[in-house]
Amino acid sequence: MGISLMYYLLVSGGLFALGLLGVLIRRNPLLLLLSVELMLNGANVALIGFSRHWNSTDGQVFALVVMVVAAAEVVIGLGLIVAVFRQRIALDVDGMDHLKG
Amino acid sequence: MGERIAFAIAAAGALGCAAGVVTLSNPFRAAVSLIGTLLSVAVLFLLAAAPFAAAIQVIVYAGAIVVLFLFVIAYLGERPPRIGPDPMGRWAFLMATGVGVLVALGLIGLLRSHLPGMRAAFAEAGDIGSPRAIGMAFVDTHSLVFEATSLVLLIAALGAVLLARRAVLGERGR
Amino acid sequence: MSVHEPFWLMLIKAGLLAFTVITIFAYVMLWERKLLGRFQARYGPNRTGLVGYMQPLADVVKLIFKEDFVPRGANKVLFHVAPVMAIACAVTGIAIIPFGTTGELFGHEFTMYGTDLSVGVLVLFALSGLGFYGMILGGWASGNKYSLLGAARTAAQLVSYEVAMGLSIIGVIMIAQSLSLVDIVNAQMNSVWYILCQPLGFAVFVVAAVAETNRTPFDLPEAESELVAGYLTEYGGLKFAIFAMAEYVNMIVLSGLGATLFLGGFDGPWLPQWLSWLWLLAKIFVFLFLFIWLRATLPRLRYDQLMRFGWKVLLPLATLNLIVTAIVVGIFFQND
């Protein structure tokens, strides 16, 4: 009576899909970053599931590296948001199109 | 049996809180909902013989990254990005449909797969998740990745300091 | 070392541990007030009961009967959830601290600790990380600028000192070759207590623990004369009692961690094995006395001094300890 790989992949797919939906819908860049974190967590769940399936540590190492990269990305993302905010621009990703050709 | 119940609760918690992150309009509540997702995912890691990854997930993600989010949300306040009718309704519906189609395709592909071991319960796990195993993997097999991640963290820290400094200069210059 | 215990035994143990920690908390509060009194050349509370031993009961009764209000601009759900989160994470930490090895009761073998995880030390860090949320959510959900500022300051202080605390513990982990607290105590039973091997690590740990629990001299975020009362401003009655309880239980858990990592846990000379938890309690009380003594004696640090101290003094010292320990363990003790 155990868990199989399929369940892990289902949860991972669900988290990734919800994160994808959040990235597509959200206008507030903070909420967008939260959705990106959801996608990264979905990927981590899949990695850990596979690592358990093949009985290998490599998947977990990969998941830890993903966590580190997520932390670094959040730091820079939030720094950018704060910098944009300080320039008195409204926090709306659809409105930040000044570089549009 | 107990494992299945725990998995079901954790999976429901993860997906439910993820739905909360995507739909809640108040950024603070969305961040708190993300904490629920992260804790549920940590429980999923524990069920997959990854105790070290679960602890690191809670310490790094729930204990540091979301705290950073909460700081910035508290700093930036919660005024809505624009005043007026929200033209998002139709776009959101289209995107939800699109993602729903992708999810359906993925589900069909997954449930019909005949790859070996997909539906069988996990075999007995060796020592794959303990700190010793992960430490050996990082130092022995994947030492390059280890060094690269430390470099990534250093660059991120430098970037954050630079962003904060430049913002302050920009303010004074105006 | 996995002992298979029946579920009812685990439930009894959980109840007993929770009850123990809450009772210890009540009497630590009383002991602190009496000790502070003695440090300040006066008696502590001595009206309620013989030497004031009913004082905690009187305090709890008073706080229960206070009005339980919610400020108007507050976020109701988070306002109620915040103290619960703080106390849950604090009390859960007691499950990891080992009070003894195995014992036997009615033919069933049981272990005198809640659980022994291979990542025991990390779980305590995870729990204290989750405990921050009690403060941050409490401060923000009060709908009050002073609470928010107090919560932000508290969170920044706690995150900074948690880094130093983590680094100071790694030396012990390197010597014991394991993250599990039971393994660390067993290793100390076979050799010396680690306070002798890691004096600098111990000093850094004590200072960081005082900062982690928001005690004087690091209690700027919640002191009465600063920012009203920080994140506790809008909390009254029972919720305030829960926050205070969370702070004291945090203190007890960190004392337990320090006793386990540096003073040998339940290791002690004369007592039989089933009474070894008395040694652990004695060591926890030594730590608690240290906490109270520091509060009575030292003035408070200003916030920028506090942050500067944490990042520019404590963190380099902890890193230095780590490097030296790594070199010594790597060169002299690599025989397996």
Side-chain angles (χ1 to χ4, degrees):
Chain A
M1 263 301 176
I3 318 161
S4 69
L5 180 59
M6 169 100 61
Y7 298 147
Y8 272 95
L9 292 182
L10 283 172
V11 173
S12 158
L15 278 175
F16 189 82
L18 282 168
L20 182 61
L21 189 62
V23 167
L24 289 171
I25 301 183
R26 296 292 212 173
R27 313 190 67 153
N28 191 344
L30 285 168
L31 296 171
L32 200 123
L33 267 181
L34 284 178
S35 308
V36 171
E37 292 309 310
L38 271 186
M39 295 209 292
L40 288 167
N41 268 293
N44 269 346
V45 170
L47 282 168
I48 299 277
F50 274 114
S51 153
R52 175 77 167 87
H53 177 66
W54 294 112
N55 203 19
S56 134
T57 321
D58 293 344
Q60 298 189 16
V61 166
F62 201 154
L64 287 173
V65 171
V66 167
M67 279 184 220
V68 167
V69 169
E73 166 219 353
V74 162
V75 162
I76 298 292
L78 287 176
L80 283 172
I81 293 176
V82 170
V84 161
F85 178 77
R86 280 179 170 175
Q87 297 294 320
R88 310 288 195 272
I89 302 175
L91 280 180
D92 179 355
V93 287
D94 287 339
M96 294 182 208
D97 56 357
H98 300 292
L99 283 178
K100 195 152 102 172
Chain B
M1 192 57 204
E3 274 191 1
R4 276 204 172 180
I5 298 178
F7 185 89
I9 297 177
L15 291 171
C17 290
V21 171
V22 171
T23 51
L24 287 170
S25 52
N26 184 343
F28 217 90
R29 290 196 193 160
V32 172
S33 198
L34 185 69
I35 300 175
T37 310
L38 296 172
L39 290 178
S40 310
V41 168
V43 172
L44 289 177
F45 285 2
L46 274 177
L47 286 167
F52 188 75
I56 296 294
Q57 161 95 356
V58 176
I59 296 177
V60 168
Y61 255 118
I65 292 182
V66 180
V67 170
L68 198 53
F69 263 111
L70 289 176
F71 269 16
V72 175
I73 290 175
Y75 174 46
L76 296 186
E78 294 173 33
R79 42 196 139 88
R82 68 168 53 217
I83 306 177
D86 187 8
M88 281 296 292
R90 201 153 148 235
W91 173 259
F93 180 69
L94 281 173
M95 286 301 115
T97 318
V99 171
V101 165
L102 279 174
V103 166
L105 285 174
L107 263 181
I108 296 175
L110 194 59
L111 289 171
R112 288 191 50 181
S113 85
H114 294 295
L115 291 171
M118 267 292 202
R119 286 185 183 75
F122 286 134
E124 196 62 39
D127 177 31
I128 49 172
S130 71
R132 177 174 292 264
I134 296 202
M136 292 295 284
F138 261 126
V139 171
D140 201 359
T141 338
H142 303 287
S143 52
L144 186 60
V145 166
F146 190 52
E147 300 299 331
T149 52
S150 64
L151 209 58
V152 163
L153 282 173
L154 182 64
I155 296 174
L158 277 176
V161 169
L162 211 56
L163 275 172
R165 207 185 59 134
R166 229 178 241 179
V168 171
L169 273 182
E171 273 189 343
R172 283 215 205 110
R174 288 164 93 236
Chain C
M1 88 183 54
S2 56
V3 176
H4 182 69
E5 300 170 338
F7 192 61
W8 55 268
L9 201 54
M10 287 203 263
L11 278 179
I12 295 179
K13 246 190 346 186
L16 202 61
L17 277 175
F19 175 74
T20 309
V21 84
I22 292 179
T23 314
I24 296 182
F25 145 72
Y27 286 97
V28 163
M29 258 194 31
L30 173 64
W31 191 40
E32 169 172 28
R33 290 171 69 172
K34 290 193 81 68
L35 261 188
L36 280 178
R38 292 289 176 169
F39 273 117
Q40 294 162 1
R42 56 180 173 88
Y43 295 117
N46 58 0
R47 299 277 170 186
T48 48
L50 195 49
V51 277
Y53 78 95
M54 298 275 280
Q55 183 69 31
L57 186 61
D59 279 336
V60 167
V61 167
K62 174 195 85 164
L63 284 170
I64 289 181
F65 282 121
K66 282 199 171 183
E67 178 190 355
D68 184 23
F69 61 89
V70 175
R72 196 184 330 154
N75 185 336
K76 291 197 180 29
V77 171
L78 291 178
F79 191 77
H80 290 292
V81 160
V84 172
M85 207 157 170
I87 190 67
C89 298
V91 172
T92 310
I94 204 74
I96 322 268
I97 312 256
F99 281 88
T101 49
T102 56
E104 194 167 332
L105 188 69
F106 306 131
H108 292 285
E109 213 185 349
F110 70 97
T111 51
M112 280 199 253
Y113 43 83
T115 173
D116 177 33
L117 303 168
S118 66
V119 288
V121 176
L122 285 184
V123 169
L124 274 169
F125 279 102
L127 284 172
S128 73
L130 288 177
F132 296 168
Y133 283 112
M135 296 177 211
I136 298 178
L137 294 180
W140 184 83
S142 303
N144 177 348
K145 284 193 199 49
Y146 295 113
S147 300
L148 184 59
L149 279 176
R153 279 187 176 185
T154 312
Q157 170 191 331
L158 291 183
V159 165
S160 320
Y161 281 88
E162 186 175 358
V163 177
M165 189 157 85
L167 278 182
S168 71
I169 290 185
I170 296 187
V172 168
I173 295 172
M174 277 199 269
I175 301 181
Q177 302 273 314
S178 166
L179 278 172
S180 147
L181 283 171
V182 173
D183 284 348
I184 294 178
V185 174
N186 285 335
Q188 286 182 82
M189 289 208 299
N190 296 334
S191 62
V192 299
W193 287 0
Y194 287 154
I195 184 175
L196 300 171
C197 313
Q198 293 270 301
L200 182 58
F202 179 69
V204 172
F205 177 81
V206 166
V207 175
V210 171
E212 275 291 305
T213 48
N214 268 335
R215 298 281 293 181
T216 324
F218 299 106
D219 69 344
L220 195 83
E222 64 173 36
E224 295 88 37
S225 49
E226 310 283 340
L227 287 183
V228 191
Y231 65 92
L232 289 173
T233 312
E234 297 286 350
Y235 282 96
L238 198 55
K239 294 200 187 63
F240 174 76
I242 293 183
F243 266 124
M245 186 154 104
E247 178 185 323
Y248 279 94
V249 171
N250 248 336
M251 222 164 78
I252 296 173
V253 168
L254 277 179
S255 306
L257 181 66
T260 308
L261 291 175
F262 291 99
L263 290 181
F266 52 82
D267 183 24
W270 308 297
L271 289 177
Q273 198 232 23
W274 58 278
L275 275 183
S276 51
W277 49 274
L278 281 176
W279 271 116
L280 181 64
L281 280 182
K283 291 170 196 174
I284 291 181
F285 278 119
V286 165
F287 266 96
L288 290 173
F289 179 76
L290 191 62
F291 276 124
I292 300 174
W293 192 13
L294 283 174
R295 175 177 180 176
T297 326
L298 293 179
R300 191 173 288 147
L301 282 184
R302 212 173 57 218
Y303 192 68
D304 61 321
Q305 291 171 332
L306 196 154
M307 296 297 275
R308 194 170 297 149
F309 182 68
W311 287 107
K312 291 193 183 174
V313 172
L314 224 52
L315 191 61
L317 279 179
T319 314
L320 181 67
N321 179 33
L322 170 67
I323 295 176
V324 169
T325 309
I327 293 176
V328 168
V329 167
I331 296 182
F332 295 115
F333 291 103
Q334 279 305 66
N335 45 10
D336 58 347

